Amino acid sequence: MRLTAILSMAAKAAFPKDYRYGTSRPWTIAAKRLNPPGKKRRKVFIEPIAYEDWSVFKGDTVEILSGKDKGKQGKVAQVFRHRNWVILDGLNTHFRYIGKTADYRGTYIASEAPLLIRDISLVDPTDRKPTEVEWRFTEEGEKVRVSLRTGRIVPKPVFQRRDGIVPQQWKDGPKDTSPEDTLEKTYTPSLKTLEEEVMEKLGIEEPRRNRKTYWY
Amino acid sequence: MGFIAKMAATSAGPVLTLCRQFQNAFRISTSLAAQQSALTWTKSHSYPYRLKYPLVSPNWHCHVGLVGQCRPLHTTISRRGLEEFFDIPENWGEATVKSGAPWTAKQLRTKSNEDLHKLWYVLLKEKNMLLTIEQESKRQRIQMPSPERLKKIERSMKRLDTVVKEREDAIRLLQTGQERARPGAWRKDVFGRVYWYRFREHALPWYMNKRYKRKRFYTPLFVTPHMRLRLEKHLRAKTRIQNKEREKQTALQEKFPRMKAQSS
């Protein structure tokens, strides 16, 4: 048992308490270069936002309130909750060379810089102006974002799965169980354990009894 | 025993080459040559990714005419379901294989014990198949197609195990009132720490077990001053953590005055 615990500890990556998370994922080479194991960087204070209060999701349209591209609206491409960051598509960009070799100067591309949540504001879908948003419950009990200025509901953006599967258009493969079979209820509660029930069904009779053992 | 069968994948297809002793006597008919592939009289050698040939038909025998010291050769393939270790032939050579969502605990709770028993073995065989594919891809140094299938299977099996444990727990609680499946007791170790000691199954009673009698479940008298020191150290560390947390909160309040007062 202890061996599996050790293996699982090695499998999941462990980071120090004051690890500075960046835009690249921690297991990539770029992140490893920025945060080598012994390096201590100046602490970044992140405003703690509770999990239930988070209002910006991937695919939302938001407006920038301060910075280079102030007043522009864009779609959220990536959200980093550990640093309260948001990356918009094509906005707040700076330019850099990528794929530089010894003789080739590299491709000049525009790369987006992350924006803090505080400099971002959700956009009301009706009048397309930035608003403050609060979480409220509807009549049905659903939790929705409501803009405080107009009172309209800001709908949640359509969530696309990372593997590209759309559940409504899924076709079962040969090894998949059909939805009817999955939801079919075959369980009747009884005071028999699984072993006893299976032995009954298969007609196995076990007249032998275990030898007396001592538990201490 | 001078028989060695080698398989060479040429552009035309695999051709069985035998050792010189049998070469003249053995004639492979053209129709058989078209269907030939791995011999399974040793282990199963079918490689789903590089060689896309089916396993040998079970009716293929090669009877060799007697030439000199040649013995009659009879090779039948014993294929007792070894194909279940490999994927279905449609998926051979694919880069990604479609697979559905794993079983959830909620869905598994509606199934009877017999269904769960059968499902466990279905999942186990699928897992063995995927592990074979994984090992084979490592051996051939290519990417395994759709490795997320393994994770899905493992999660399904874990959830099935959880559901079965829940049912067992319920029956045991109803019939005996015991909360734990494995007996144990609170005991003190040599260092003065109280911990839950889990019992183990033995063939001998404890008073006849020499190794068990050497274990000390009491604290000697000379250890008691060290227990106090350990407690003091623990309290000091706890207070330090609490103070640090409080300082962090004040620093955050200064930096972010709009923040809500509570934060974990």
Side-chain angles (χ1 to χ4, degrees):
Chain A
M1 207 275 285
R2 281 206 201 104
L3 178 64
T4 47
I6 294 166
L7 286 175
S8 67
M9 270 164 60
K12 70 169 190 274
F15 300 109
K17 223 159 49 108
D18 46 3
Y19 184 82
R20 186 185 256 219
Y21 291 91
T23 37
S24 355
R25 304 283 163 121
W27 54 83
T28 43
I29 307 174
K32 283 189 198 161
R33 207 184 315 135
L34 274 175
N35 286 319
K39 192 163 180 187
K40 279 193 186 281
R41 298 196 61 175
R42 195 179 304 172
K43 186 176 156 79
V44 202
F45 283 92
I46 311 155
E47 184 182 347
I49 300 184
Y51 184 80
E52 309 82 52
D53 294 330
W54 193 268
S55 11
V56 187
F57 300 104
K58 195 166 124 162
D60 266 337
T61 332
V62 292
E63 184 167 317
I64 307 179
L65 301 174
S66 71
K68 199 167 70 160
D69 293 331
K70 178 173 170 173
K72 295 198 189 154
Q73 294 190 358
K75 201 163 94 147
V76 172
Q78 237 184 327
V79 163
F80 299 85
R81 290 211 190 186
H82 40 73
R83 294 271 313 247
N84 289 358
W85 273 345
V86 143
I87 294 199
L88 306 189
D89 250 336
L91 290 179
N92 198 25
T93 53
H94 54 269
F95 298 91
R96 62 184 172 115
Y97 286 99
I98 204 172
K100 202 156 59 154
T101 50
D103 37 355
Y104 176 49
R105 62 162 179 244
T107 352
Y108 197 58
I109 58 152
S111 66
E112 302 91 355
L115 287 152
L116 276 173
I117 292 287
R118 285 289 165 202
D119 305 330
I120 287 288
S121 155
L122 278 169
V123 154
D124 200 310
T126 42
D127 54 358
R128 267 151 336 117
K129 295 252 176 57
T131 42
E132 293 285 316
V133 160
E134 214 185 34
W135 284 100
R136 285 198 204 146
F137 289 92
T138 53
E139 308 262 311
E140 291 91 41
E142 210 189 308
K143 203 168 176 200
V144 282
R145 301 178 288 186
V146 170
S147 97
L148 291 175
R149 194 171 41 142
T150 44
R152 301 275 158 76
I153 298 176
V154 182
K156 228 172 140 171
V158 176
F159 177 70
Q160 278 142 12
R161 285 167 62 123
R162 221 191 297 184
D163 43 20
I165 297 174
V166 181
Q168 284 81 22
Q169 296 161 10
W170 174 259
K171 295 245 169 42
D172 279 335
K175 293 190 181 170
D176 295 329
T177 330
S178 65
E180 303 85 36
D181 286 333
T182 323
L183 295 168
E184 186 191 332
K185 183 175 166 199
T186 49
Y187 175 56
T188 41
S190 72
L191 278 177
K192 288 191 184 292
T193 55
L194 185 140
E195 289 84 14
E196 287 171 9
E197 267 196 36
V198 167
M199 276 172 70
E200 249 184 53
K201 289 264 160 56
L202 296 176
I204 302 171
E205 279 171 21
E206 187 60 75
R208 305 175 292 180
R209 291 281 166 264
N210 280 329
R211 159 190 282 246
K212 181 166 162 57
T213 50
Y214 300 87
W215 283 86
Y216 51 82
Chain B
M1 281 311 274
F3 175 71
I4 303 160
K6 264 202 290 206
M7 206 174 67
T10 58
S11 53
V15 169
L16 268 185
T17 53
L18 308 176
C19 69
R20 253 156 287 171
Q21 213 177 359
F22 292 86
Q23 210 130 24
N24 302 326
F26 194 66
R27 302 265 181 272
I28 304 172
S29 70
T30 42
S31 59
L32 271 180
Q35 306 162 20
Q36 265 161 34
S37 62
L39 265 186
T40 51
W41 58 273
T42 49
K43 286 286 178 210
S44 171
H45 283 306
S46 60
Y47 305 130
Y49 304 111
R50 293 284 163 78
L51 274 32
K52 298 191 200 147
Y53 305 106
L55 295 173
V56 190
S57 62
N59 301 321
W60 182 51
H61 307 295
C62 28
H63 290 283
V64 184
L66 288 159
V67 174
Q69 300 101 351
C70 306
R71 287 191 293 278
L73 170 65
H74 177 104
T75 54
T76 338
I77 288 81
S78 68
R79 188 182 62 173
R80 306 233 183 87
L82 274 179
E83 71 269 9
E84 300 203 50
F85 275 112
F86 303 97
D87 214 347
I88 47 176
E90 289 96 55
N91 290 341
W92 286 1
E94 306 278 335
T96 47
V97 177
K98 204 172 75 142
S99 53
W103 283 87
T104 59
K106 194 169 166 189
Q107 292 160 359
L108 290 167
R109 278 187 199 112
T110 58
K111 302 292 171 204
S112 67
N113 282 332
E114 192 198 341
D115 282 345
L116 290 180
H117 186 68
K118 289 178 185 165
L119 180 64
W120 177 267
Y121 285 99
V122 167
L123 290 172
L124 183 68
K125 281 165 75 165
E126 183 71 16
K127 186 165 162 184
N128 284 340
M129 186 264 280
L130 291 172
L131 288 171
T132 321
I133 292 178
E134 192 186 36
Q135 190 54 40
E136 188 57 31
S137 339
K138 282 186 192 165
R139 206 190 81 105
Q140 298 200 5
R141 299 189 212 179
I142 44 176
Q143 270 268 344
M144 176 190 174
S146 312
E148 72 270 3
R149 294 181 285 174
L150 250 179
K151 270 206 187 152
K152 289 179 185 173
I153 292 274
E154 274 165 23
R155 282 177 192 163
S156 302
M157 287 174 94
K158 197 118 202 270
R159 288 165 190 171
L160 208 161
D161 191 45
T162 317
V163 167
V164 169
K165 273 209 173 91
E166 276 175 11
R167 290 187 188 171
E168 253 184 54
D169 276 348
I171 294 171
R172 194 184 56 246
L173 277 169
L174 277 171
Q175 295 189 320
T176 58
Q178 293 288 330
E179 284 144 8
R180 287 175 235 257
R182 186 168 163 181
W186 288 105
R187 292 208 180 152
K188 223 192 262 234
D189 65 359
V190 219
F191 304 111
R193 296 180 294 211
V194 179
Y195 69 109
W196 179 257
Y197 172 72
R198 296 190 319 149
F199 289 169
R200 284 172 60 209
E201 201 170 12
H202 301 265
L204 301 170
W206 71 268
Y207 46 82
M208 287 165 63
N209 191 338
K210 287 194 203 147
R211 188 142 56 92
Y212 181 78
K213 284 195 278 189
R214 271 185 269 134
K215 280 170 87 89
R216 291 170 289 172
F217 291 112
Y218 59 88
T219 325
L221 272 175
F222 59 82
V223 174
T224 8
H226 295 273
M227 280 162 67
R228 189 195 158 102
L229 293 170
R230 199 173 53 221
L231 175 71
E232 286 171 4
K233 182 179 176 181
H234 166 76
L235 289 172
R236 240 180 271 132
K238 201 164 92 164
T239 328
R240 197 183 141 96
I241 291 171
Q242 282 171 352
N243 292 341
K244 268 229 149 63
E245 185 64 36
R246 210 182 308 133
E247 281 169 22
K248 192 173 112 170
Q249 284 305 314
T250 34
L252 278 175
Q253 280 284 5
E254 278 174 30
K255 287 212 180 302
F256 306 112
R258 288 198 292 166
M259 168 184 110
K260 295 201 180 82
Q262 182 274 333
S263 94
S264 68

